[in-house]
Amino acid sequence: MISHRQGNAQRIAALDERAEALNLKRGMGMADARAMHPSIDIVEADPEADRRLLEGLADWCDRYTPLVALDSSDGLFLDVTGCTHLFGGERAMLDDILSRFFHQGFDVRAGLAATPGAAWAAARFSGDRIVAGGGEEELLAPLPLAALRIEPATRDSLESVGLRTAGAVMAAPRAPLARRFGASLLLRLDQALGRIDEAVSPRLPVAPLSVERHLAEPVTLTEEIERLVGMLATTLKADLERRGEGARTLALLLFRVDGAVSRIALGTSRPMREPMLIQKLFHERLTALEQDIDAGYGFDLVRLSVLSAAAFDVQQADLAGEASDDGADISLFADRIRARLGDGAVLQPVAVESHLPERAVATIPFTEAPRRTTPPKRPDRQAPRTIFPPERPIRLFRAPEPIEVPATEMPEGPPLNFRWRRALYRVTRAEGPERIAAEWWHDASSDAAASTRDYFRIEDADGRRYWLYRQGLYGGSQAPPRWFMHGVFA
């Protein structure tokens, strides 16, 4: 038996058939149960472990339909509309589900009907039953009120006036029922009978495209899985071509014969549909996860899904039959590195609209970097010569480092010498200042980095060049200016 604490008492949460044969019931106090049978075995409930187990079973049920939803803490809803013919019909599919669960060590009950409410009632009160379309009322009529999925308080109120079965509720006038017991009672009744639609919300998003392969002999080797990925990607390519799209996010699902499911997902920096390239990416991913994937007795179902797609731009080939695709090799290289080491392994700098040098560039994941969708324009020879931008250091520090400046030629001029990292440097040449301030919408009073800066290009006695700046202005009411080292030229 499994016990849990309810209020201040320890009560029975679940029990097996042997415990039921001893006249023990769910909700009974543990003190009473031990008094009746002192030798019973009791295990404390672990709701979190039960939840993980139920989610694992939901993953396994993806082999039948992608629309799988959790039902409370001990049930699953499977929307198998349009899927039963793949398994030989409704009865063959239901028998296959029950048989596989039985061999995994689970005692389950299933019901199949046109509405979620009727299927729920059939599974919990009528055994393994298939309800034909239009037979929901016949199914529910002899069942207790609990088959309608109503609150315990509502059930007690209905039983107090003599309505003890779902058939009795269906035969009663609707208006008095709604006034006395609320609209939820009629809502559950209409949902079970199919008068009102009831949606089943899947726990995972449904992939727009999926291909799978059922295997007569389970596979265990990584090489065999990679070969299957190439075959599935070839089938997937035709669907992507028909839609004019390429895959941006792919997921590989490996269903083990004992019920465990492995999900392996990866992203691409640009739309992709070439089977060989997809196989290369999953080769890197499977190599990285080889120690984490337990094949057990083998995988008997392999599925490749496209979780997200984007428009695929076909490149025009030249006379030699080669298409010019700038950046394709770099993108493939980055995707393979990310598949092996993770999404954060490859970053790309992008320009940011900010005057402050340390804010003008940000590093983001390679897949999120903006892509050029049009070819670059050729320079116009008649256009006037552009002005060269200000010189910037080769190495820019992540954060400016404070320095000590003992004296300057004039309040607004460059320093004569400065101390940085406990070393004194003598200035021989200086250029500047170049005044840089933050954007006008930044409040300089609340952000110290947003105050005005005067930058100088400095050369010391040894020929080394630095990029310094003075933060703040002399003669103001604020704190005196401070000096910082922001980069080096060589």
Side-chain angles (χ1 to χ4, degrees), residues 153-364:
T154 305
R155 291 203 307 265
D156 296 340
S157 300
L158 289 169
E159 291 175 353
S160 66
V161 297
L163 301 176
R164 301 182 180 278
T165 63
V169 174
M170 288 186 287
R174 294 174 61 91
L177 288 176
R179 285 196 302 267
R180 183 167 182 177
F181 303 105
S184 61
L185 171 62
L186 298 182
L187 174 64
R188 284 302 193 186
L189 182 61
D190 291 339
Q191 287 177 340
L193 296 177
R195 298 169 183 168
I196 298 178
D197 292 335
E198 180 181 359
V200 174
S201 300
R203 54 187 294 269
L204 297 175
V206 180
L209 287 175
S210 292
V211 290
E212 62 184 34
R213 178 67 62 89
H214 291 264
L215 306 174
E217 292 292 335
V219 298
T220 58
L221 300 179
T222 304
E223 293 78 7
E224 296 175 331
I225 297 174
E226 293 178 9
R227 181 175 57 84
L228 288 170
V229 169
M231 297 170 59
L232 295 175
T234 302
T235 305
L236 201 60
K237 180 182 179 181
D239 296 329
L240 290 171
E241 288 178 343
R242 186 179 65 254
R243 296 161 62 105
E245 296 178 338
R248 288 299 306 270
T249 307
L250 292 158
L252 178 65
L253 279 70
L254 306 174
F255 294 83
R256 214 164 64 183
V257 293
D258 61 352
V261 181
S262 297
R263 293 178 180 269
I264 304 171
L266 55 82
T268 62
S269 56
R270 57 176 59 194
M272 181 181 298
R273 63 190 183 195
E274 185 62 36
M276 185 61 67
L277 301 182
I278 294 175
Q279 186 175 1
K280 286 182 179 180
L281 294 185
F282 276 105
H283 167 75
E284 302 293 346
R285 191 62 179 156
L286 289 170
T287 302
L289 299 176
E290 188 172 4
Q291 302 298 327
D292 299 329
I293 298 177
D294 183 9
Y297 292 103
F299 303 105
D300 63 342
L301 173 61
V302 179
R303 177 184 298 161
L304 183 62
S305 301
V306 177
L307 301 183
S308 64
F312 189 89
D313 296 330
V314 180
Q315 299 293 329
Q316 178 66 44
D318 55 18
L319 294 178
E322 298 180 356
S324 176
D325 190 3
D326 296 335
D329 294 339
I330 295 296
S331 297
L332 178 60
F333 171 77
D335 290 342
R336 295 183 67 177
I337 295 297
R338 291 171 50 249
R340 176 71 70 95
L341 303 178
D343 291 338
V346 182
L347 303 177
Q348 181 170 344
V350 295
V352 179
E353 294 183 355
S354 177
H355 300 317
L356 299 181
E358 67 270 21
R359 297 180 182 175
V361 176
T363 55
I364 62 176

Side-chain angles (χ1 to χ4, degrees), residues 74-123:
D74 59 352
L76 296 172
F77 274 121
L78 278 68
D79 188 346
V80 296
T81 304
C83 301
T84 56
H85 70 282
L86 300 175
F87 301 89
E90 295 178 349
R91 172 50 61 184
M93 181 181 188
L94 194 62
D95 291 341
D96 185 68
I97 294 175
L98 296 175
S99 175
R100 289 179 179 269
F101 270 121
F102 175 79
H103 286 95
Q104 294 177 29
F106 295 99
D107 181 15
V108 300
R109 293 172 177 82
L112 199 152
T115 66
W120 189 92

